[in-house]
Amino acid sequence: MRTKNAKAHTRAESAHLAKVKRCACVLCDADPPSHAHHPIQGEHFTTVAVCDPCHVGPFGIHGDGTMLRLRYGTADLRAQLRAINETQRRVAALEAE
């Protein structure tokens, strides 16, 4: 959900976010649609494709981070970067279709 003070997305940002949401969850591989988690608010090209439970559930990114630790061995910046990288790989695969 966007905040009321958020700037409007550019056309490129909107297109990228739509592709991220078409990817499977990078933490549990749940089928799309996914949420586009923003590790850094407002940075739309570094989002992570995650399902609802892995995003906002008690073990998700905004919970205690268990799903991030289970997938990447840690819940720190390295794990977030790996999740971003995997999301980018999946977006590229969609573009290649």
Side-chain angles (χ1 to χ4, degrees), residues 45-58:
F45 292 104
T46 56
T47 54
V48 177
V50 287
C51 65
D52 188 67
C54 288
H55 191 204
V56 296

Side-chain angles (χ1 to χ4, degrees), residues 1-16:
M1 173 179 280
R2 295 181 57 205
T3 64
K4 65 180 181 178
N5 296 327
K7 290 191 280 185
H9 295 155
T10 66
R11 184 172 291 147
E13 289 169 338
S14 292
H16 177 74

Side-chain angles (χ1 to χ4, degrees), residues 21-25 28-35 50-52 90:
K21 293 174 183 180
R22 287 179 39 218
C23 294
C25 177
C28 73
D29 293 317
D31 290 336
S34 291
H35 293 205
V50 287
C51 65
D52 188 67
R90 293 178 185 202

Side-chain angles (χ1 to χ4, degrees), residues 76-87:
D76 63 6
L77 177 62
R78 290 175 300 172
Q80 295 270 354
L81 290 173
R82 288 178 178 156
I84 291 167
N85 185 61
E86 179 59 21
T87 299

Side-chain angles (χ1 to χ4, degrees), residues 53-69 75:
C54 288
H55 191 204
V56 296
F59 303 114
I61 291 172
H62 290 292
D64 69 5
T66 295
M67 294 304 294
L68 201 56
R69 282 192 300 280

